[in-house]
Amino acid sequence: DAKTTQPPSMDCAEGRAANLPCNHSTISGNEYVYWYRQIHSQGPQYIIHGLKNNETNEMASLIITEDRKSSTLILPHATLRDTAVYYCIVRPLYTGTASKLTFGTGTRLQVTL
Amino acid sequence: DGGITQSPKYLFRKEGQNVTLSCEQNLNHDAMYWYRQDPGQGLRLIYYSQIVNDFQKGDIAEGYSVSREKKESFPLTVTSAQKNPTAFYLCASSIRGLAGYEQYFGPGTRLTVT
């Protein structure tokens, strides 16, 4: 899996949008950008993934730059329950190779009142 | 409800003892995985299984063993040969074992060996 770079920590006020950046300058053409989050002492939770178009689901939006070298995960109205470590991962899709998630240290998002 | 269960949530063992961690899924997923997480670190893959009766070593398989006799079960044994077994262990599953399929995680088992 290609390497990603994320800030170690971020703060966000409750009700505001949380914008979490991720750099993946070595991403290759067949690799997708995935986001997971891990609330303290729980298993990671899948959030969203995308290739080159912006994606939105009920949890978040994913904005990928045109050159695909970076992306931003947006939580539109952060709540205290969104406090977690957020992991950005790039990995190929449907290549026939065995699946493995390579987690870095992620961004610790603290949502405050 | 469909999901992945791991038991127990907390496990304590004496050094030199083998211990088996349970992982069960009722999602009808073909693939299952075991990861290890140390404090402040990301996840590292121990073993994975793409289909029943087959499994492969991950990045840190030494000192661990697995079996996959049933589709819904993938137990992990931490043997006495594992030098630093104290960690948070996470089990996951996906529809298929190929790259790209989302992995769904269980709640984890925190193992402490003294």
Side-chain angles (χ1 to χ4, degrees):
Chain A
D1 292 347
K3 181 177 173 59
T4 62
T5 304
Q6 299 177 254
S9 64
M10 293 182 64
D11 292 332
C12 178
E14 190 176 33
R16 305 298 293 266
N19 298 289
L20 291 89
C22 179
N23 287 324
H24 31 80
S25 58
T26 59
I27 192 171
S28 59
N30 70 338
E31 289 180 321
Y32 280 62
V33 180
Y34 277 74
W35 284 82
Y36 282 76
R37 73 180 183 183
Q38 187 175 23
I39 295 169
H40 183 62
S41 294
Q42 297 182 22
Q45 177 189 23
Y46 164 79
I47 301 173
I48 198 168
H49 74 279
L51 181 64
K52 56 183 178 180
N53 297 321
N54 297 339
E55 302 288 343
T56 296
N57 62 21
E58 65 278 4
M59 289 183 68
S61 295
L62 175 60
I63 309 297
I64 302 173
T65 58
E66 193 168 342
D67 63 8
R68 304 210 319 123
K69 293 185 177 182
S70 66
S71 61
T72 301
L73 179 75
I74 301 173
L75 307 178
H77 305 287
T79 71
L80 296 177
R81 287 177 294 180
D82 292 321
T83 293
V85 178
Y86 288 77
Y87 297 98
C88 169
I89 300 163
V90 293
R91 54 198 288 244
L93 193 69
Y94 311 128
T95 64
T97 58
S99 178
K100 179 178 77 170
L101 291 175
T102 301
F103 286 74
T105 52
T107 296
R108 183 172 298 277
L109 175 68
Q110 180 69 53
V111 180
T112 57
L113 290 172
Chain B
D1 287 340
I4 302 174
T5 57
Q6 291 185 245
S7 61
K9 188 165 179 63
Y10 298 96
L11 191 55
F12 298 89
R13 280 293 183 271
K14 295 289 188 184
E15 194 174 325
Q17 294 179 335
N18 291 354
V19 59
T20 297
L21 281 60
S22 167
C23 178
E24 304 278 331
Q25 55 97 2
N26 61 3
L27 300 168
N28 200 33
H29 285 177
D30 282 342
M32 297 185 75
Y33 313 81
W34 274 106
Y35 292 88
R36 168 186 172 136
Q37 186 174 36
D38 293 288
Q41 302 297 313
L43 279 66
R44 292 184 289 169
L45 183 66
I46 304 173
Y47 267 98
Y48 63 95
S49 168
Q50 294 182 279
I51 199 166
V52 175
N53 293 322
D54 183 63
F55 49 83
Q56 308 294 331
K57 292 182 179 180
D59 297 324
I60 55 166
E62 186 175 351
Y64 300 97
S65 66
V66 294
S67 63
R68 187 84 188 278
E69 297 176 1
K70 298 186 296 182
K71 187 175 186 177
E72 58 270 23
S73 179
F74 191 42
L76 173 75
T77 296
V78 184
T79 75
S80 56
Q82 168 51 234
K83 291 182 171 48
N84 297 298
T86 295
F88 188 45
Y89 289 88
L90 288 155
C91 179
S93 71
S94 61
I95 295 174
R96 299 285 182 270
L98 302 178
Y101 288 92
E102 289 81 15
Q103 294 185 18
Y104 297 89
F105 286 81
T109 291
R110 192 168 297 279
L111 173 66
T112 302
V113 177
T114 58

